[in-house]
Amino acid sequence: MAVSTCVVLGACACGPEKSEEDTSTTAKPSHPSAPARSEEPSASPRAEKPSAEAPAEPTGDQSAPRTKEGAVQRYEQYLHAVGREDITTVCEVAGPAAKQAEDQGFGPCTSTFVVTFQMISPAQKKALRTATVDPQRVEVLTPAKVEIPTDAIKASVTFSESDLGSSTLEYLKNNWYITD
């Protein structure tokens, strides 16, 4: 249950006001770090903390298809990053939710999620590195918003609602992001 609490605090606290703000324009100067990460992926100070496997998957600097399959792929990228303790990718994918949690006083994603990593068992982390999502269990709420329930996660260990919780992903700025 403690893992779920940290995941909720770190990744599931965004409301609709963030979505409206992000969909109202295609590019905002308030997020200049995304292009910088794509230009210097191995030079980033944050890239030193993740394991050697961290660069194995691309981050959100590339656009993704605005489809259920695109959302599933993006969420799998997030799950794998959690399993690898890749804080850069986790905070990038969960950016909108993490920003709202930070605004509510929970601290920056890079701090709150490090605590979450410590609460996930080694067996769960290993399972998350290869977890997949059953697309048939993903609910399309709108063309730009999907709900991925915990029972859609297929892994070598079973995750309960209290372990991970369901996630809402929204298509913002040409990619899928966890917003709730």
Side-chain angles (χ1 to χ4, degrees), residues 6-15 18 22 31 37 46 59-60 74-75 77-79 81-82 86-103 107-110 112-113 116-117 166-170 172 175-180:
C6 284
V7 171
V8 169
L9 295 178
C12 299
C14 187
K18 180 67 176 171
D22 284 346
H31 295 282
R37 279 197 306 266
R46 289 180 280 172
T59 62
R74 180 73 156 162
Y75 192 65
Q77 176 187 13
Y78 167 80
L79 294 173
V82 171
D86 176 359
I87 193 71
T88 302
T89 301
V90 167
C91 290
E92 195 272 323
V93 175
K99 174 68 174 122
Q100 179 154 353
E102 182 176 354
D103 291 347
C109 180
T110 53
T112 57
F113 238 94
T116 301
F117 291 154
S166 298
S167 293
T168 301
L169 279 77
E170 292 186 61
L172 310 165
N175 214 332
W176 291 96
Y177 293 90
I178 297 172
T179 58
D180 191 22

Side-chain angles (χ1 to χ4, degrees), residues 19 23 65-69 71 138-147 168-172 176 179:
S19 302
T23 56
R66 188 178 174 174
T67 61
K68 176 168 73 170
E69 293 77 17
V138 174
E139 182 181 356
V140 177
L141 304 173
T142 71
K145 188 174 188 177
V146 300
E147 178 78 16
T168 301
L169 279 77
E170 292 186 61
Y171 195 80
L172 310 165
W176 291 96
T179 58

Side-chain angles (χ1 to χ4, degrees), residues 138-159:
V138 174
E139 182 181 356
V140 177
L141 304 173
T142 71
K145 188 174 188 177
V146 300
E147 178 78 16
I148 301 180
T150 306
D151 68 356
I153 299 169
K154 303 302 175 198
S156 59
V157 299
T158 302
F159 288 94

Side-chain angles (χ1 to χ4, degrees), residues 21-46:
E21 173 185 324
D22 284 346
T23 56
S24 65
T25 180
T26 57
K28 284 191 169 193
S30 64
H31 295 282
S33 60
R37 279 197 306 266
S38 66
E39 294 170 12
E40 339 172 4
S42 62
S44 172
R46 289 180 280 172

